[in-house]
């Protein structure tokens, strides 16, 4: 995947800052993985922090290899993602179940920095744009914080997703 990323970045003459490289690596990895998932999918369960189970939302046929943020957007789950997965905000903050959180790679320093300013931070908090769906996440419960902190917008505006 790194060779593919390098070739694409060179052809596009893209800025080579750390954050931009990390973002592009993630996009290319997600693309390569999602094109090789053989149509496999999982079910995800979503609940707003503090809500009872009667308000739980269930999304079926979520493709393996996409981000939790993308899964939310594809299924009209209210998860903002103001920076469009560029690792520049914490508006896609989610809370994962302990067993799933423990199986994931450790967050990057950039992700930790953004989580520090996330609303309702817990020990199993992650940014939805940084977590790629996998088979072991089938039927996972994702808790959405009651609020987000969007430092770019203070009038309640929420971006529309592509």
């Amino acid at each position: 995947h790194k060779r593919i990323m390098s070739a694409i970045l060179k052809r596009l003459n893209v800025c080579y800052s750390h954050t931009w490289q990390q973002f592009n690596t993630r996009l290319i990895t997600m693309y390569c993985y999602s094109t090789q998932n053989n149509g496999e999918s999982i079910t995800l369960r979503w609940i707003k922090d503090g809500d009872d189970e009667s308000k739980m939302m269930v999304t079926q046929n979520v493709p393996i290899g996409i981000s939790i943020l993308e899964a939310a957007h594809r299924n009209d789950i209210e998860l903002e993602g103001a920076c469009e997965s560029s690792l520049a905000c914490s508006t896609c903050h989610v809370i994962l179940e302990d067993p799933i959180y423990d199986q994931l790679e450790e967050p990057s320093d950039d992700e930790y920095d953004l989580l520090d300013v996330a609303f309702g931070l817990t020990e199993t908090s992650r940014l939805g744009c940084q977590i790629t769906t996998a088979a072991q996440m089938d039927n996972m419960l994702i808790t959405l914080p009651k609020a987000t902190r969007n430092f770019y917008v203070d009038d309640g505006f929420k971006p529309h997703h592509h």
Side-chain angles (χ1 to χ4, degrees), residues 5-17 20 24:
M5 182 199 81
S6 179
I8 290 172
L9 291 177
K10 284 178 184 173
R11 284 188 180 156
L12 295 175
N13 291 324
V14 175
C15 168
Y16 282 93
S17 74
W20 189 249
N24 281 304

Side-chain angles (χ1 to χ4, degrees), residues 36-55:
Q36 299 171 2
N37 75 3
N38 299 323
E40 294 178 63
S41 63
I42 59 173
T43 296
L44 297 175
R45 299 174 301 136
W46 311 77
I47 194 162
K48 197 89 147 156
D49 192 24
D51 282 354
D52 62 41
E53 287 193 25
S54 68
K55 294 184 179 181

Side-chain angles (χ1 to χ4, degrees), residues 46-52 95 119-120 122 142-147:
W46 311 77
I47 194 162
K48 197 89 147 156
D49 192 24
D51 282 354
D52 62 41
I95 302 164
F119 183 88
T122 72
I142 301 167
T143 303
L144 306 173
K146 291 180 183 181

Side-chain angles (χ1 to χ4, degrees), residues 76-127:
D76 296 322
I77 302 293
E78 236 180 274
L79 186 59
E80 188 173 342
C83 72
E84 298 184 351
S85 300
S86 65
L87 199 56
C89 74
S90 63
T91 60
C92 65
H93 167 223
V94 295
I95 302 164
L96 305 177
E97 296 175 296
D98 287 336
I100 297 296
Y101 182 88
D102 293 341
Q103 293 177 27
L104 298 173
E105 288 184 27
E106 179 129 353
S108 68
D109 289 341
D110 291 337
E111 184 177 356
Y112 272 131
D113 290 344
L114 292 168
L115 285 168
D116 283 342
V117 296
F119 183 88
L121 186 66
T122 72
E123 290 193 16
T124 60
S125 289
R126 291 295 302 264
L127 297 180

Side-chain angles (χ1 to χ4, degrees), residues 117-162:
V117 296
F119 183 88
L121 186 66
T122 72
E123 290 193 16
T124 60
S125 289
R126 291 295 302 264
L127 297 180
C129 67
Q130 298 301 298
I131 306 302
T132 303
T133 56
Q136 69 267 25
M137 294 177 178
D138 192 32
N139 209 34
M140 170 177 69
L141 178 64
I142 301 167
T143 303
L144 306 173
K146 291 180 183 181
T148 61
R149 290 194 176 116
N150 186 341
F151 293 107
Y152 300 105
V153 179
D154 55 1
D155 64 358
F157 172 79
K158 288 186 179 181
H160 297 285
H161 307 290
H162 312 291

